[in-house]
Amino acid sequence: LVEAYQGRLGRFLSRMVGNAEDARDLVQETFLKAYRHRDEYRPTASPATWLFTIASNLARDYHRRRRLISFLPLSSLRHGVKVETPPVEESDQCPLVREVMASLPREMAECLYLYEVEGFKSPDLAKVLGISPEAVRQRVARARKRFREAYRALGGGNSET
């Protein structure tokens, strides 16, 4: 499973958290959780669906923790600690596409990425995201529309992407 899904999960989590180092940690945590809860895996479900569900939940937890941290007063931070989120390093992706994806609401970007890049179909994606297949279709349609609008606004031309 690690060999088959490590790269895909890494790319997904890098997109979701915007930090390659944190994404690597979350990939590792995904596999640890999968191993610890291996008795809960149902062979009728795809391993990809199961692993991406775990990864998606970890990404949500990551964002919840970051929101809590951002509300701490500056005086509570240790001096010299710098919080940064470097851009995701992917040579095969256009910087404009990364910028547009980053501008989308996290839920839309997550859904669009899993649908378009990872190839999840609505029923499996619904399981990963914990929403109905109809909600997946609506979210994908809205995300595509927002993506096209943002892409054009940032100078991406009249692409039907």
Side-chain angles (χ1 to χ4, degrees):
L1 283 177
V2 172
E3 287 179 13
Y5 293 101
Q6 185 172 16
R8 289 175 63 189
L9 288 168
R11 286 186 297 275
F12 167 68
L13 288 166
S14 287
R15 293 256 188 210
M16 294 303 105
V17 301
N19 181 316
E21 188 175 322
D22 288 344
R24 281 190 292 276
D25 290 343
L26 291 174
V27 168
Q28 190 172 27
E29 195 172 335
T30 298
F31 287 114
L32 285 172
K33 276 194 173 219
Y35 179 76
R36 286 185 196 123
H37 298 281
R38 62 190 177 277
D39 345 348
E40 298 171 22
Y41 174 68
R42 302 289 174 247
T44 56
S46 154
T49 302
W50 186 51
L51 290 171
F52 275 90
T53 300
I54 295 169
S56 181
N57 289 334
L58 288 172
R60 287 186 192 112
D61 291 344
Y62 171 89
H63 285 290
R64 267 189 230 109
R65 284 191 308 270
R66 289 192 53 115
R67 268 197 305 274
L68 288 174
I69 290 170
S70 71
F71 287 112
L72 291 175
L74 290 176
S75 61
S76 68
L77 296 175
R78 291 193 324 245
H79 295 289
V81 174
K82 184 178 177 187
V83 177
E84 58 181 279
T85 53
V88 176
E89 296 178 25
E90 288 184 11
S91 59
D92 63 331
Q93 294 295 318
C94 171
L96 181 58
V97 171
R98 283 197 306 266
E99 185 178 348
V100 172
M101 286 295 284
S103 75
L104 295 177
R106 188 180 47 78
E107 292 83 10
M108 281 186 175
E110 176 182 41
C111 191
L112 189 61
Y113 182 86
L114 290 172
Y115 188 84
E116 295 292 346
V117 177
E118 291 298 331
F120 278 88
K121 301 298 178 216
S122 294
D124 290 332
L125 189 48
K127 290 175 189 170
V128 169
L129 300 176
I131 59 179
S132 71
E134 180 56 33
V136 167
R137 287 187 283 278
Q138 290 175 358
R139 195 174 286 180
V140 167
R142 288 183 188 128
R144 283 177 173 163
K145 181 179 182 213
R146 293 265 305 262
F147 181 93
R148 279 191 300 270
E149 291 168 353
Y151 187 78
R152 287 181 187 132
L154 291 172
N158 292 326
S159 173
E160 291 301 316
T161 306

